[in-house]
Amino acid sequence: MKKALIGLVLVLVALYVATVILVPPRIDRIQTRVYGATIPVSPRAESLHAKLTIADLHADALIWGRDLLERNDRGQVDIPRLREANVALQVFSLPTQVPKERSRFGTRRDQLDLMTVAAFCNAWPPLTWLRRDSRARHAAALLHRFAEKSDGAFTVVRTRADLDRALASRTLGGVLALEGLHALEHDMDNVDVLFDAGYRIAGLVHQFDNELGGSSQGVERGGLTPFGRGVVQRMEERGMIVDLAHASPPLLRDVVKIAKRPVLVSHTGVRGTCDRPRNLSDEEVRLVAGTGGVIGIGFWSGAVCGPDATAIAKAVRHAVTIAGIDHVSLGSDFDGDKMPFDATGLPQVTEALLAEGFSEAEVAQIMGGNVIRLLRTALPAGT
């Protein structure tokens, strides 16, 4: 009996090891595929791109269990590729709960959670298999560990002082963000826990309605709840930026009414060029800009209704026409969807923006200047 039990344990361990080795890379290659819809980059765009301070508001690289210090042959983001693309600052975001099935009639929360599967397959600590707050703390620790092992090539930005040091030294900076505040686990005091772990940006909702408010992909798609109102106030007190990506229109309007600091929409499209439920109407673009906030234009086809950087530039043009040049930026959603290019393809966006008629100074704002200004306004001061 004892030998049989030991044998069963060994088989289970072997199966788990095989799962950890084989499953994440296979799923990663499928979900983060680069389909290569490239446009040529002119010498003018290459020269300008090399001089820009580039910032991107959304990447999901922490989901996939890759070593971000190594140049990977899968996925879309890692530190070597970001540095090759002359990126100065990357926001690394983590969703802590992702329903398996999404429906145009509204996504329900009571489904198989793909982040439970991801935590298990990535060999994260067992508590992360059960608790969303543990996933958030573990992902934060991972990003800090990458910084510690990077020999000065990468740093986690928590404060304005951190940001200024990173920019002055040309060190790649990373900002921690959450996609949906499910990691609060129903406790507003966990805002402080997440802040202390290093999170500086947090979306209130993700793909389903939650206790803070309605998602654009949810069932009820309602406004800000009393609990959500308290969370927004606590976030602003601590110096965390409220992200309204995935927010329902009523939720976005409710938050803008009470916000005392700039808000952002980290990754989205605009309905003026791509009429999809998740994308922002002109009114919503104006409301976000009215707080002094920034709208990050995504790169995936559902955001821009097109296959390449030209479609991205057209969405940027529409957003700028509505909001003004100070309020539009990049919000790629790298590693969150299939993309026309990985991080090394960012010069194509510079090319497309120039072809769209933006001046070099305007391109500099869109490619990073507006995000840097927002962070200098919104981050805690630091030392």
Side-chain angles (χ1 to χ4, degrees), residues 49 52-62 66 68-72 76-92 143 153-155 170-175 299 330 332 334-335 342-347:
H49 191 88
L52 296 173
T53 300
I54 298 167
D56 176 43
L57 280 170
H58 194 88
D60 286 319
L62 292 172
R66 296 185 225 119
L68 296 184
L69 295 175
E70 299 292 329
R71 188 184 185 98
N72 292 275
Q76 298 153 359
V77 165
D78 49 50
I79 290 165
R81 281 183 281 182
L82 289 169
R83 289 179 65 82
E84 178 184 329
N86 192 34
V87 175
L89 186 130
Q90 178 66 59
V91 175
F92 290 93
L143 198 67
F154 174 66
T155 187
R170 300 187 66 81
T171 300
L172 174 63
V175 176
F299 295 179
L330 307 182
S332 67
F334 280 141
D335 282 334
D342 67 6
T344 62
L346 281 169

Side-chain angles (χ1 to χ4, degrees), residues 289-308:
T291 71
V294 172
I295 295 138
I297 298 298
F299 295 179
W300 74 102
S301 62
V304 297
C305 287
D308 56 23

Side-chain angles (χ1 to χ4, degrees), residues 1-200:
M1 181 67 179
K2 186 177 179 180
K3 288 183 179 179
L5 183 60
I6 292 172
L8 177 61
V9 170
L10 290 175
V11 168
L12 291 175
V13 169
L15 286 172
Y16 181 55
V17 171
T19 297
V20 169
I21 292 172
L22 299 175
V23 172
R26 179 173 177 78
I27 296 175
D28 188 358
R29 291 183 193 281
I30 294 169
Q31 296 297 321
T32 64
R33 181 172 61 87
V34 173
Y35 51 81
T38 59
I39 64 171
V41 179
S42 65
R44 179 193 176 198
E46 287 181 352
S47 176
L48 174 59
H49 191 88
K51 295 181 284 189
L52 296 173
T53 300
I54 298 167
D56 176 43
L57 280 170
H58 194 88
D60 286 319
L62 292 172
I63 294 175
W64 299 104
R66 296 185 225 119
D67 182 350
L68 296 184
L69 295 175
E70 299 292 329
R71 188 184 185 98
N72 292 275
D73 63 355
R74 56 189 169 93
Q76 298 153 359
V77 165
D78 49 50
I79 290 165
R81 281 183 281 182
L82 289 169
R83 289 179 65 82
E84 178 184 329
N86 192 34
V87 175
L89 186 130
Q90 178 66 59
V91 175
F92 290 93
S93 189
L94 181 79
T96 57
Q97 183 173 349
V98 178
K100 182 178 183 293
E101 301 291 340
R102 282 171 279 179
S103 168
R104 63 190 180 92
F105 301 109
T107 300
R108 303 187 64 86
R109 73 185 77 183
D110 54 347
Q111 301 182 38
L112 173 67
D113 174 22
L114 295 180
M115 283 307 301
T116 300
V117 178
F120 178 82
C121 292
N122 287 334
W124 287 7
L127 194 57
T128 68
W129 306 352
L130 305 172
R131 292 188 61 90
R132 298 167 296 184
D133 54 346
S134 295
R135 293 169 198 166
R137 290 196 299 271
H138 180 71
L142 280 178
L143 198 67
H144 282 94
R145 202 170 304 140
F146 290 137
E148 291 165 3
K149 294 180 178 180
S150 72
D151 294 326
F154 174 66
T155 187
V156 178
V157 171
R158 294 171 173 245
T159 66
R160 293 198 296 271
D162 291 340
L163 176 63
D164 289 340
R165 282 191 291 269
L167 293 174
S169 63
R170 300 187 66 81
T171 300
L172 174 63
V175 176
L176 275 163
L178 282 167
E179 196 166 12
L181 270 174
H182 316 114
L184 292 180
E185 297 289 1
H186 320 294
D187 185 350
M188 195 180 301
D189 288 341
N190 276 330
V191 171
D192 300 331
V193 173
L194 295 171
F195 180 87
D196 292 342
Y199 287 95
R200 294 297 179 265

